Amino acid sequence: MSENKTAKSTLSKDDLIVIAGAGGFIAGALTRYFGEQGFTRIRAVDKKPLPEWYQRVPGVENLSLDLSYRDNCKRACEGAVEVYNLAADMGGMGFIERFRIECLRSILINTHMIEAAYRAGAERYFFSSSACAYNTELQKDPNVRALKESDAYPAMAERGYGWEKLMSEMFCQEYWAERGLKTAIARFHNVYGPHGTWDGGREKAPAALSRKVIEAKDSGQYEITIWGDGNQTRSFMYIDDCTQGIDMIMHCDDLIATPINLGSSELVSINELVSIIEEIARVRLERKHDLDAPRGVAGRNSDNTFIEQVLNWGPDTPLRDGMAKTYAWIEGQYADRKAGKPTPAGDH
Ligand code: NAD
């Protein structure tokens, strides 16, 4: 794509950046991203003990704090110029359909973090929302119309997880309207890539299906169980597009307090995703469909008209390319685990 129109960050390389949820997948990648951009003062925070973090980036201050408590948020945000809140109790469909209370309780994290960021005098605050904030009534057909930003209202979000995201979005909008804190709100659509959860119950379809293919090859039992009939459709965004998008959205003054899609618009069915992975793995498996398993909405895609208009950019890593990297990484993790080595992203 041609040059983007985003405002350049006015952040100095020694301004303090706070990243919440940094022991997890996306915030871990974001920490690495800012480290590679030359920022010298990054504070990474997560409730998990340090050995369980998926990535630990050299030179970064790592804090293990539960951010559902106000005082911990205050500690986390001290001196911050920018705060990125990606901490949430979440997982794939298997997790968010089963543990709605845990998902709802993430509202404590954002509620305390945004107040702490405001009180610390932070200049900008980022919140990771989700496509699950969209009205589920619009997602009942696999041949979906892609979701545009205005489709969140009238609200009928995913129970639990989606409603928490909608409410936290509203906090971000009101902190801007009433208190002048510059907030950024990105609605992520299914993010995948290396260093994400690939086992244990919180993993999402790209990682779960990659693991199942690897297990089938390893065991010699050439079959795979797919949740639902596999006709449900989704789009999947590669992690590098996600970190770049977060940076661009956070630093665009036209997007303050304005929810925006951050997702790929390459729609595939879950059955097609399995075929892509089989091709990467050079294997063909017998497919079984578990019609009682969680399957989520029938179809969901990201309408990228708005992001392309404002930033002149959109996530564009082809699914086949991103999946090849993801599959290779999970294969390595699987081998490490078999050899008795620790693999935090697979050991929940
Ligand atoms: P993740 O589970 O890998 O990371 C989230 C991290 O937050 C975890 O490391 C967890 O320990 C931490 N956390 C949970 N509760 C906490 C607390 N009380 N205090 C401090 N840390 C806490 O998930 P992810 O995929 O990296 O997601 C990051 C953000 O993006 C989340 O807000 C999620 O809802 C959002 N999101 C992700 C996707 C996706 O496809 N991965 C899609 C839409 C939205």
Side-chain angles (χ1 to χ4, degrees):
M1 253 182 203
S2 55
E3 194 191 338
N4 72 70
K5 294 189 281 184
T6 185
K8 270 271 165 254
S9 169
T10 51
L11 204 59
S12 304
K13 294 291 181 202
D14 57 355
D15 281 341
L16 179 65
I17 299 175
V18 171
I19 303 177
F25 169 43
I26 303 174
L30 188 66
T31 306
R32 180 169 298 283
Y33 171 88
F34 282 124
E36 286 170 358
Q37 305 269 316
F39 288 95
T40 55
R41 295 181 63 221
I42 303 174
R43 182 180 295 149
V45 192
D46 200 288
K47 77 169 174 193
K48 289 191 292 203
L50 279 173
E52 292 176 24
W53 290 30
Y54 298 171
Q55 299 197 59
R56 272 177 287 165
V57 179
V60 167
E61 177 191 2
N62 294 324
L63 297 180
S64 181
L65 292 172
D66 184 339
L67 297 173
S68 56
Y69 293 98
R70 191 187 60 178
D71 289 351
N72 287 345
C73 292
K74 192 173 160 214
R75 165 72 187 91
C77 290
E78 264 165 22
V81 177
E82 291 192 349
V83 175
Y84 295 79
N85 175 21
L86 289 93
D89 215 347
M90 64 88 64
M93 275 328 294
F95 183 86
I96 67 177
E97 284 196 356
R98 223 176 123 209
F99 298 110
R100 292 188 173 131
I101 296 174
E102 273 77 0
C103 292
L104 282 167
R105 285 181 62 82
S106 293
I107 198 147
L108 294 171
I109 303 174
N110 192 64
T111 306
H112 292 314
M113 277 300 281
I114 195 166
E115 176 71 13
Y118 170 72
R119 286 182 183 242
E123 286 172 13
R124 289 180 192 259
Y125 182 90
F126 177 91
F127 175 65
S128 51
S129 187
S130 165
C132 290
Y134 283 115
N135 191 322
T136 50
E137 296 293 323
L138 301 173
Q139 304 171 63
K140 293 198 155 152
D141 183 345
N143 302 313
V144 278
R145 168 177 70 71
L147 293 161
K148 56 184 187 302
E149 284 74 5
S150 56
D151 289 331
Y153 294 96
M156 189 53 74
E158 174 83 33
R159 288 187 71 81
Y161 181 70
W163 280 97
E164 186 277 320
K165 293 296 189 193
L166 266 191
M167 279 304 297
S168 291
E169 284 188 1
M170 197 174 285
F171 269 96
C172 292
Q173 292 175 313
E174 299 310 329
Y175 268 77
W176 165 243
E178 286 182 21
R179 301 194 191 175
L181 174 61
K182 289 183 179 172
T183 55
I185 306 158
R187 291 185 183 142
F188 298 168
H189 291 244
N190 297 308
V191 190
Y192 73 98
H195 301 283
T197 313
W198 56 277
D199 199 5
R202 288 179 189 249
E203 65 279 14
K204 298 187 158 204
L209 293 169
S210 297
R211 189 201 68 236
K212 287 180 185 182
V213 170
I214 293 163
E215 284 168 348
K217 279 181 81 175
D218 187 41
S219 69
Q221 295 197 321
Y222 290 95
E223 54 182 45
I224 185 165
T225 303
I226 298 168
W227 286 7
D229 60 13
N231 292 324
Q232 63 271 37
T233 52
R234 294 289 184 279
S235 71
F236 297 96
M237 169 171 54
Y238 190 59
I239 184 66
D240 291 358
D241 288 336
C242 184
T243 48
Q244 187 184 348
I246 292 171
D247 184 4
M248 291 166 81
I249 290 167
M250 178 72 146
H251 299 112
C252 176
D253 281 339
D254 291 340
L255 288 174
I256 295 171
T258 307
I260 185 166
N261 280 334
L262 184 54
S264 163
S265 54
E266 182 184 346
L267 190 72
V268 288
S269 72
I270 296 300
N271 285 328
E272 285 166 341
L273 179 61
V274 173
S275 300
I276 290 173
I277 302 170
E278 283 179 333
E279 201 186 298
I280 292 166
R282 294 170 195 277
V283 71
R284 276 252 167 259
L285 304 175
E286 188 189 323
R287 299 181 185 193
K288 298 194 166 154
H289 293 277
D290 180 354
L291 301 179
D292 295 326
R295 61 193 294 279
V297 292
R300 178 185 290 155
N301 195 7
S302 178
D303 182 326
N304 286 352
T305 311
F306 184 46
I307 193 166
E308 283 167 8
Q309 177 199 323
V310 184
L311 297 178
N312 201 14
W313 176 86
D316 58 3
T317 303
L319 183 59
R320 174 71 175 71
D321 297 356
M323 281 308 299
K325 292 182 189 161
T326 307
Y327 181 87
W329 180 81
I330 296 175
E331 202 175 31
Q333 294 289 297
Y334 185 88
D336 280 354
R337 180 195 281 175
K338 235 183 141 180
K341 294 186 197 158
T343 56
D347 289 346
H348 280 282

